[in-house]
Amino acid sequence: MSGYDVIVVGARCAGAGTALLLARQGRRVLLLDRAAFPKDTLSTLYIQLPGVAALADWGLLDRLRATGCPPLERVSYRAAGITVTGSSRPVRGQRVSYAPRRHVLDQLLVDAAVAAGAEFRDATTVGDLLFTDGRVTGVRCRTAGGRWVSERAALVVGADGMRSQVARRAGAEVLTSAPPKSCAYYAFWDLPSDDALTMTHADGVLVGAAGTNGATIVTCYLRQREFARARQRPLEVYLETVREHDGELYERLRSAEPPGRLYGTGDQRNFIRRAAGPGWALVGDAAVHKDSITAWGISDAFLQAQLLAQTLASGTAQDRALAEYATTLRRVAQGGYEATLAAADLTLGDDELAHLRLLADHPELAELYFSVASGAAAPQEYRAALRAHPLPAAAG
Ligand SMILES: Cc1cc2nc3c(=O)[nH]c(=O)nc-3n(C[C@H](O)[C@H](O)[C@H](O)COP(=O)(O)OP(=O)(O)OC[C@H]3O[C@@H](n4cnc5c(N)ncnc54)[C@H](O)[C@@H]3O)c2cc1C
């Protein structure tokens, strides 16, 4: 077939990561995105350690550090006056997290994909897929100049996010789904960054702060049922939430310039789609979308890019390799999906507080807890460790 080996639709963490790895395998890759790069996208930016390790494996971590993105060496988790401070166990030697601005991270990935030989066209929107005998064989896209062109490839990868056109046009089945659980608001503040990700939890609320390129990002998560109220007066609700739950952070915000803009969304869908079929595959949010509260989206996108690239390189015929990719992804995605749905309930009751007291008293258990949260340890390991520690009685 003439054209490309692979067309990747969407050029952020899933798509640019996939294009990079496939181009490094020597494939002819066309990478398309409708956005004009570099451009930000909705995200609270925190990369969990497995994602940091992937960047290191790809030879990109030093470049990320060189952008001035501050290291986040610890997590400080607080609720009802209890503070648990610690960090995850390392992943392939990486112990420090980062929360880079997305116009920085995504451009860095695109640059690496192009350096590996991928062709990148931004401001190019894929409007439809091309089919031959029921198999996806290319895309129809509108160029930056407004012209419609067809491009052919043996494989089209949809890395085009939660509202994926590739998934829709290919007929990717939704295998499981759940209603949105939380909503999120965040802003960038001109404040010096701390070396920790801080999170303050109350029932129905999570307030977080982390250093990013040249700013501190401050985020509030609320339950989905609060979204109708919050969207009426978002800045007031955001500031009230910070004031009520993290007074110290609120005082720092008061001393800073008001942020230029508040970002927010209540459209945090939860689903897993079948991730491949004849001539097509999905990676990142297009394949698995879950509430952003666990901050696993970027890291999972990298791991899926790796899984797809490895499976395609295994020597198996493409159709079988794609079927294997879809089956493996379905299996590995389930645990994180369920854990995220549970976290997005934002429940903080007596049981959760007793649990936090236990963590505050046992640093080794706290490290294991933060390791599960980062994706560096399996929940079963944590559950086994918990069995050796009877929960202290709830206060009051
Ligand atoms: C409020 C919020 C906070 C979050 N916080 C975190 C966090 O702290 N940590 C974390 O790991 N994750 C976080 N996430 C999730 C994370 O941002 C996503 O999981 C991640 O961006 C997914 O990357 P992706 O490449 O799959 O898709 P996207 O980032 O959605 O990129 C898809 C790309 O496809 C392009 N595209 C779409 N349609 C077309 C088309 N028809 N033609 C051409 N191009 C197209 C878009 O322009 C876009 O650039 C957050 C998400 C939200 C909403």
Side-chain angles (χ1 to χ4, degrees):
M1 182 191 290
S2 63
Y4 298 88
D5 296 321
V6 186
I7 296 172
V8 182
V9 185
R12 295 194 184 272
C13 28
T18 303
L20 164 69
L21 297 176
L22 295 181
R24 282 184 180 170
Q25 291 174 358
R27 298 174 201 264
R28 288 163 303 156
V29 177
L30 174 61
L31 176 62
L32 305 172
D33 203 296
R34 69 180 173 203
F37 271 52
K39 190 168 189 276
D40 261 334
T41 188
L42 270 184
S43 184
T44 50
L45 313 175
Y46 188 75
I47 309 180
Q48 300 283 8
L49 283 185
V52 175
L55 287 172
D57 292 347
W58 301 349
L60 301 179
L61 189 54
D62 285 343
R63 278 184 236 174
L64 178 64
R65 290 194 185 111
T67 68
C69 188
L72 300 167
E73 309 202 357
R74 293 172 295 119
V75 181
S76 177
Y77 186 66
R78 300 174 221 149
I82 307 161
T83 300
V84 184
T85 300
S87 48
S88 163
R89 63 169 65 145
V91 178
R92 299 198 292 291
Q94 302 304 324
R95 359 181 117 254
V96 173
S97 292
Y98 297 87
R101 288 295 295 255
R102 289 296 296 273
H103 67 262
V104 171
L105 175 69
D106 297 337
Q107 184 65 51
L108 191 148
L109 290 163
V110 165
D111 289 346
V114 169
E119 179 183 336
F120 176 52
R121 297 184 206 157
D122 64 349
T124 300
T125 303
V126 170
D128 209 347
L129 298 179
L130 303 174
F131 289 85
T132 308
D133 300 329
R135 162 181 293 278
V136 174
T137 51
V139 301
R140 184 112 178 102
C141 53
R142 201 181 61 240
T143 66
R147 214 160 44 85
W148 282 94
V149 297
S150 297
E151 297 291 358
R152 302 258 168 201
L155 173 64
V156 173
V157 176
D160 48 344
M162 181 175 81
R163 297 177 189 82
S164 173
Q165 278 284 337
V166 175
R168 198 154 69 85
R169 305 276 173 181
E173 185 191 345
V174 172
L175 302 172
T176 185
S177 66
K181 296 213 155 193
S182 82
C183 59
Y185 284 95
Y186 64 91
F188 298 100
W189 295 82
D190 186 9
L191 286 173
S193 64
D194 195 0
D195 65 352
L197 165 71
T198 64
M199 289 187 284
T200 307
H201 194 181
D203 192 51
V205 176
L206 186 74
V207 175
T212 180
N213 299 85
T216 293
I217 179 170
V218 176
T219 307
C220 294
Y221 279 91
L222 300 168
R223 290 197 173 111
Q224 173 70 204
R225 62 172 177 262
E226 298 293 327
F227 185 53
R229 173 181 73 94
R231 70 191 306 184
Q232 301 296 320
R233 39 184 202 98
L235 186 59
E236 279 169 81
V237 169
Y238 168 81
L239 289 173
E240 274 166 17
T241 307
V242 180
R243 181 169 52 79
E244 200 177 321
H245 299 284
D246 190 340
E248 203 181 302
L249 176 61
Y250 181 74
E251 287 309 316
R252 288 179 66 209
L253 300 190
R254 272 174 29 116
S255 70
E257 281 289 305
R261 190 174 158 190
L262 181 70
Y263 301 82
T265 179
D267 192 6
Q268 299 230 67
R269 300 177 201 178
N270 301 294
F271 60 75
I272 301 178
R273 287 188 176 121
R274 184 162 59 90
W280 61 272
L282 305 175
V283 283
D285 280 4
V288 181
H289 194 278
K290 51 194 182 295
D291 198 288
S292 59
I293 192 104
T294 42
W296 278 335
I298 297 170
S299 190
D300 284 357
F302 291 166
L303 300 186
Q304 290 165 19
Q306 261 168 351
L307 177 65
L308 179 61
Q310 278 161 7
T311 314
L312 287 171
S314 64
T316 318
Q318 179 174 292
D319 281 1
R320 276 191 54 192
L322 290 177
E324 197 181 310
Y325 166 71
T327 306
T328 309
L329 182 54
R330 174 76 179 95
R331 180 168 46 76
V332 298
Q334 186 68 28
Y337 178 78
E338 284 171 10
T340 298
L341 289 181
D345 280 337
L346 289 168
T347 304
L348 187 76
D350 288 346
D351 288 352
E352 288 77 14
L353 287 174
H355 184 199
L356 275 182
R357 275 185 212 102
L358 184 70
L359 295 182
D361 290 344
H362 297 276
E364 75 295 347
L365 202 57
E367 185 194 70
L368 191 49
Y369 176 81
F370 288 129
S371 303
V372 173
S374 79
Q380 302 86 289
E381 190 184 343
Y382 183 65
R383 282 197 290 271
L386 262 189
R387 281 197 282 276
H389 293 276
L391 283 179

